[in-house]
Amino acid sequence: MGVWDEHIVNVLSGCPALETMELYCVEGFSRLDVRSSKLKRLKLNRYSSVDDGRDHSLEINAPHLQELEILGDLYDLKCRLVDVSSVVNAKLTFNIVCIKDVYTMAGREFDHAEDSCDYHQVFMTLVQDYLQKLSCAVELTMGTWFTEVLCMLQFKGVAIPKLECKYLTLELHMNEFNLYAEAVLLQTSPQVGTLNIDITATLADLHLVLIIFSLRPEHSESMYVLESIIIRDKCT
């Protein structure tokens, strides 16, 4: 469904008491500027992108927002956070499609060496920015794609911002590549007190999962509580 910037402006200006906004499978708008102190919760679930070969970007500026959810398939949407300084609860379980699929769907020729490098760098920079902008959030939920990009940043020697979250939830499809990312995430979240894990993995991975989530920075004063762990069989 096409939703344009003027539609968003009209909704926000016409509903000054609006507290929650949920957008499902929409496309077209490029900026979400929420100045109202009433709107506390924003949910973006999927982005219906047109294969037109254009750059798809969205900026979210919501200084009074307290809960932010970005989930589902976003195609190649570059969703940037401008000001979300009041967010205390963020859920980032969205997926971005492979660069090859973007070019295939748009009917364009793919140059692996050049196009792949630029594409990956853009999203790695976005993830860095997410971590910085949401570093003060109390509760964080992260998905597989996000943690895999986090792993790529670590391999490149990029410093990962320290997170102040106390409640961390990981929704993952377990593989060898992102095992390292989860360990890094825990190392950069020394204040986590409660950890919830929802993993799709083989039973053979279970012992690795338990090893990874038993890691804790030596300087930490308290151990986190593994409140729940759900292992979903990858073969089913």
Side-chain angles (χ1 to χ4, degrees):
M1 180 179 69
V3 176
W4 310 108
D5 290 338
E6 56 267 28
H7 296 154
I8 298 293
V9 171
N10 290 338
V11 169
L12 293 175
S13 61
C15 305
L18 189 67
E19 296 182 355
T20 298
M21 174 177 281
E22 299 187 5
L23 301 168
Y24 289 84
C25 201
V26 296
E27 55 90 12
F29 65 103
S30 60
R31 185 172 177 83
L32 191 55
D33 197 0
V34 182
R35 299 291 182 176
S36 171
S37 60
K38 296 288 187 180
L39 200 150
K40 300 296 185 183
R41 181 173 180 267
L42 173 64
K43 181 176 182 178
L44 175 62
N45 189 348
R46 293 180 293 166
Y47 182 80
S48 180
S49 178
V50 178
D51 301 328
D52 52 12
R54 296 186 303 170
D55 176 70
H56 302 115
S57 297
L58 169 64
E59 290 187 345
I60 297 178
N61 184 44
H64 302 290
L65 199 68
Q66 294 185 357
E67 295 184 33
L68 173 65
E69 290 186 56
I70 306 176
L71 59 156
D73 293 323
L74 298 189
Y75 186 64
D76 65 340
L77 179 68
K78 302 168 187 66
C79 184
R80 296 179 172 86
L81 305 181
V82 178
D83 185 353
V84 289
S85 53
S86 297
V87 168
V88 295
N89 185 348
K91 182 173 184 177
L92 308 170
T93 56
F94 58 88
N95 299 306
I96 300 296
V97 299
C98 175
I99 177 64
K100 291 182 180 179
D101 294 333
V102 173
Y103 275 70
T104 298
M105 288 184 282
R108 291 184 289 163
E109 185 176 347
F110 175 65
D111 184 331
H112 185 276
E114 181 176 352
D115 296 327
S116 179
C117 182
D118 292 343
Y119 187 81
H120 290 158
Q121 185 57 53
V122 167
F123 285 105
M124 284 192 290
T125 301
L126 278 178
V127 167
Q128 279 182 272
D129 190 58
Y130 273 59
L131 293 172
Q132 187 65 51
K133 296 288 177 60
L134 297 170
S135 62
C136 294
V138 175
E139 187 170 350
L140 289 176
T141 300
M142 298 183 184
T144 298
W145 182 87
F146 200 93
T147 58
E148 288 181 348
V149 176
L150 178 64
C151 186
M152 293 172 65
L153 289 171
Q154 187 70 12
F155 284 154
K156 289 179 174 291
V158 177
I160 307 300
K162 290 290 184 182
L163 303 177
E164 298 181 12
C165 68
K166 294 178 173 57
Y167 304 91
L168 179 63
T169 299
L170 300 174
E171 298 180 2
L172 308 168
H173 292 277
M174 183 56 63
N175 56 53
E176 294 180 1
F177 181 75
N178 64 25
L179 275 174
Y180 183 67
E182 287 109 43
V184 170
L185 188 55
L186 289 176
Q187 295 289 328
T188 58
S189 307
Q191 297 188 43
V192 168
T194 301
L195 175 65
N196 294 286
I197 309 168
D198 188 335
I199 300 178
T200 300
T202 64
L203 293 179
D205 293 327
L206 181 56
H207 70 288
L208 292 176
V209 172
L210 296 177
I211 290 173
I212 288 296
F213 294 111
S214 67
L215 297 177
R216 193 64 176 167
E218 295 181 358
H219 63 271
S220 177
E221 296 180 357
S222 62
M223 295 293 289
Y224 58 72
V225 175
L226 181 55
E227 187 169 270
S228 69
I229 179 167
I230 301 173
I231 307 293
R232 303 182 191 276
D233 191 346
K234 188 183 295 184
C235 298
T236 60

